Amino acid sequence: MHIKHVRIEKLVPFDRNPRKNERAVDAVVRSIQAFGFNCPIVVGPGNRICAGHTRWKAAKKLGLKTVPVVAIPNLSDEKFVAFNIADNQISSIAEWEDGLLSELLGELKSTGSELAELGFTERELRAFFKDDEDRNLLSVINPVD
């Protein structure tokens, strides 16, 4: 796998991408700001985005000139569409181990980590903290719920 940096205007969004991702763009912006652009966009022939539309939108919002890209140049139209759907669907199958997630969130919170960088809404984060003292310590800026 070869990752290259491509000028953002050279990428072409898949006009039939069935995933609605506007609500996630700001969370991805915060993630890129906090951790860097660590997950490349996957493109098929003609630099058409197969996976990573939300990252592309976040990069545009951040004013980035280039983004990391992995090209799969030999994807047939059928495989392109199938991979686009699979990439979006497979992540929704996984579930959280709530007890362990709560423990890890608590550890991050106690070190001063900004929990808003993780992509959860304030309501979701509050559900992991049981008492009012913990709830008041949350600094979350994602009022999507």
Side-chain angles (χ1 to χ4, degrees), residues 20-38 53-59 61-62 114-122 124-125 140-145:
K20 297 177 184 178
N21 56 15
E22 289 304 321
R23 288 183 53 201
V25 173
D26 287 340
V28 174
V29 164
R30 288 191 298 275
S31 178
I32 291 170
Q33 289 172 322
F35 309 114
F37 205 122
N38 296 314
H53 288 84
T54 311
R55 292 186 297 277
W56 174 73
K57 289 176 182 179
K61 192 169 188 172
L62 286 166
E114 180 59 58
L115 299 182
E117 298 167 346
L118 305 178
F120 292 99
T121 65
E122 184 172 354
E124 290 168 329
L125 286 171
V140 180
I141 58 171
N142 190 0
V144 178
D145 55 356

Side-chain angles (χ1 to χ4, degrees), residues 70-137:
V70 171
I72 308 174
N74 298 325
L75 274 179
S76 67
D77 286 342
E78 177 186 333
K79 290 290 187 184
F80 179 95
V81 171
F83 183 70
N84 170 270
I85 293 169
D87 182 69
N88 283 299
Q89 173 56 22
I90 290 169
S91 66
S92 68
I93 296 170
E95 297 178 11
W96 291 108
E97 166 39 68
D98 289 342
L100 181 55
L101 178 59
S102 182
E103 180 181 319
L104 292 169
L105 290 171
E107 290 172 11
L108 287 172
K109 183 174 61 107
S110 71
T111 65
S113 292
E114 180 59 58
L115 299 182
E117 298 167 346
L118 305 178
F120 292 99
T121 65
E122 184 172 354
R123 180 180 296 153
E124 290 168 329
L125 286 171
R126 287 185 185 282
F128 288 106
F129 299 100
K130 303 300 181 217
D131 62 44
D132 289 335
E133 180 181 337
D134 280 342
R135 290 172 193 228
N136 291 331
L137 292 174

Side-chain angles (χ1 to χ4, degrees), residues 3-15 37 39-60 64-72 80:
I3 298 174
K4 59 185 179 177
H5 278 77
V6 174
R7 293 196 57 81
I8 200 163
E9 69 270 6
K10 299 279 186 186
L11 301 180
V12 180
F14 177 33
D15 61 351
F37 205 122
C39 189
I41 294 170
V42 178
V43 298
N47 280 336
R48 185 170 58 154
I49 300 171
C50 185
H53 288 84
T54 311
R55 292 186 297 277
W56 174 73
K57 289 176 182 179
K60 285 179 63 174
L64 300 181
K65 302 294 183 210
T66 63
V67 292
V69 170
V70 171
I72 308 174
F80 179 95

